[in-house]
Amino acid sequence: MAANVLEEDSMEQDIESPVTIHQPKLPKQAREDLPKNINKECAKRKIQRYVRKDGKCNVHHGNVRETYRYLTDIFTTLVDLKWRFNLLIFVMVYTVTWLFFGMIWWLIAYMRGDMDHIGDSTWTPCVSNLNGFVSAFLFSIETETTIGYGYRVITDKCPEGIILLLVQSVLGSIVNAFMVGCMFVKISQPKKRAETLVFSTNAVISMRDGKLCLMFRVGDLRNSHIVEASIRAKLIKSKQTKEGEFIPLNQTDINVGYYTGDDRLFLVSPLIISHEINQQSPFWEISKAQLPKEELEIVVILEGMVEATELPHSDNIYPFNEK
């Protein structure tokens, strides 16, 4: 009887003994359970974003003393201005140049005495049919815009007028090239192209092929695709170094397939972008319970060429909601 009992006990132990399975080493998110009593105020707290949802950086450059640096690159400064200021400068530049040269044309006519011989058929004026500042202003517009109505024309008896005509023609061409080029660059900027690029509202952390991954989705709504598209991600989080230095907005790369080539996208259909949370990941030491309390931000940058215009395009997507 004793032997039978021992045999049954040994059989039960053999049946109930668990099979040893070597699980892969996982970060704290997979090893710690999220406590049920999470502070709701902590979960719903409002975090000031480093980059807004519309792609603009929430950074204000204040106390800039060397403002002359903006004027050294006036072309980029004009392109970066808002449309209302850009259009105002566009109109003002042309108006000022027309008024300036119109004033010079009027001064030439006044100093030569053309104003005193209006209607005198024996007098050869510098500019025919120029009888005041308004007509000089109209002649300046006709000269710079090469309209040529044929009513006011310069004569060959006015060398100073010929020199002024050459100067205004050259400067007018420079102004046209500069302002039209500025407007063309501003109009052709592919910023609105981002409106048809759709990103998932939430980023999720889950198992994929036995690995813990941070995943989000991206898709293109247009038929014209983004050529040579590539994607990269940054983690914006405060950091304190071993020496005690506090870095408020430290940027850390998030590997979304740089070494495997998965960061280069063929964006024809919606794609899932995956980041493996391994020992090289910045999320490795952040537990599941700690994640909702962390003040961090994920910035995703999608770059490529717009197929329709062949212009470079860059789009930013910003902090995902933790799930």
Side-chain angles (χ1 to χ4, degrees):
M1 180 65 67
N4 293 335
V5 172
L6 291 175
E7 288 177 0
E8 291 177 359
D9 291 339
S10 61
M11 289 175 64
E12 290 178 358
Q13 290 178 0
D14 293 337
I15 293 173
E16 295 177 357
S17 60
V19 180
T20 304
I21 300 175
H22 297 283
Q23 296 288 344
K25 187 177 180 181
L26 297 177
K28 290 184 178 181
Q29 290 95 330
R31 289 184 275 117
E32 293 186 9
D33 294 329
L34 186 65
K36 296 180 180 179
N37 53 352
I38 299 179
N39 189 356
K40 294 182 179 180
E41 295 181 358
C42 180
K44 294 182 179 181
R45 71 188 185 279
K46 209 171 183 181
I47 301 175
Q48 188 177 7
R49 289 174 173 171
Y50 182 64
V51 181
R52 298 200 300 264
K53 284 288 186 179
D54 57 358
K56 296 180 180 179
C57 295
N58 195 18
V59 177
H60 176 69
H61 298 281
N63 196 22
V64 180
R65 297 180 180 178
E66 299 178 349
T67 54
Y68 68 90
R69 295 181 181 272
Y70 292 102
L71 299 178
T72 56
D73 188 12
I74 187 65
F75 186 82
T76 306
T77 302
L78 290 176
V79 172
D80 290 339
L81 286 176
K82 294 182 179 179
W83 268 109
R84 54 180 177 268
F85 298 116
N86 204 295
L87 291 174
L88 178 62
I89 292 175
F90 186 85
V91 174
M92 290 297 297
V93 166
Y94 279 106
T95 304
V96 169
T97 54
W98 294 338
L99 287 172
F100 174 74
F101 284 103
M103 178 63 71
I104 296 179
W105 284 114
W106 180 81
L107 285 175
I108 291 176
Y110 179 79
M111 294 176 66
R112 291 184 78 256
D114 294 343
M115 299 300 174
D116 299 330
H117 296 83
I118 297 176
D120 188 357
S121 59
T122 61
W123 179 264
T124 303
C126 182
V127 179
S128 300
N129 301 312
L130 195 151
N131 51 17
F133 176 76
V134 176
S135 58
F137 175 70
L138 293 175
F139 181 72
S140 175
I141 296 176
E142 295 172 16
T143 302
E144 191 165 333
T145 57
T146 64
I147 293 176
Y149 289 118
Y151 181 69
R152 298 179 184 86
V153 292
I154 189 171
T155 61
D156 56 354
K157 302 297 183 180
C158 183
E160 59 271 25
I162 296 174
I163 295 175
L164 180 61
L165 180 66
L166 295 175
V167 172
Q168 185 174 3
S169 298
V170 173
L171 290 180
S173 299
I174 296 174
V175 170
N176 288 334
F178 185 85
M179 297 308 300
V180 173
C182 176
M183 294 297 293
F184 175 77
V185 171
K186 191 167 183 64
I187 292 172
S188 60
Q189 282 182 326
K191 291 183 178 180
K192 295 299 182 182
R193 182 65 174 85
E195 300 295 333
T196 52
L197 288 173
V198 182
F199 285 75
S200 54
T201 304
N202 299 326
V204 298
I205 296 177
S206 64
M207 299 298 297
R208 193 183 198 192
D209 293 333
K211 301 174 183 177
L212 195 65
C213 297
L214 169 71
M215 293 176 288
F216 58 91
R217 208 173 190 187
V218 58
D220 190 5
L221 301 180
R222 285 193 178 273
N223 292 327
S224 59
H225 307 297
I226 301 293
V227 184
E228 298 181 4
S230 62
I231 195 167
R232 52 195 177 98
K234 291 280 188 179
L235 175 66
I236 311 297
K237 185 177 180 295
S238 300
K239 176 185 176 182
Q240 188 167 6
T241 63
K242 296 179 180 179
E243 295 78 13
E245 179 186 2
F246 179 74
I247 305 175
L249 295 172
N250 184 60
Q251 300 183 11
T252 307
D253 281 324
I254 300 176
N255 186 12
V256 289
Y258 177 78
Y259 298 105
T260 59
D262 293 336
D263 61 329
R264 293 184 289 274
L265 309 178
F266 183 50
L267 201 58
V268 177
S269 60
L271 299 176
I272 297 177
I273 310 300
S274 177
H275 162 68
E276 181 185 348
I277 302 179
N278 50 26
Q279 292 183 354
Q280 287 74 37
S281 171
F283 300 103
W284 179 260
E285 295 297 332
I286 303 177
S287 66
K288 187 176 181 181
Q290 186 182 358
L291 186 60
K293 303 176 184 178
E294 286 288 333
E295 292 189 3
L296 54 85
E297 183 174 347
I298 300 174
V299 179
V300 179
I301 304 170
L302 175 63
E303 297 176 321
M305 300 291 293
V306 180
E307 184 184 38
T309 59
E310 295 185 359
L311 291 172
H313 169 76
S314 178
D315 181 38
N316 304 321
I317 303 302
Y318 330 104
F320 289 104
N321 301 326
E322 298 89 353
K323 277 285 183 182

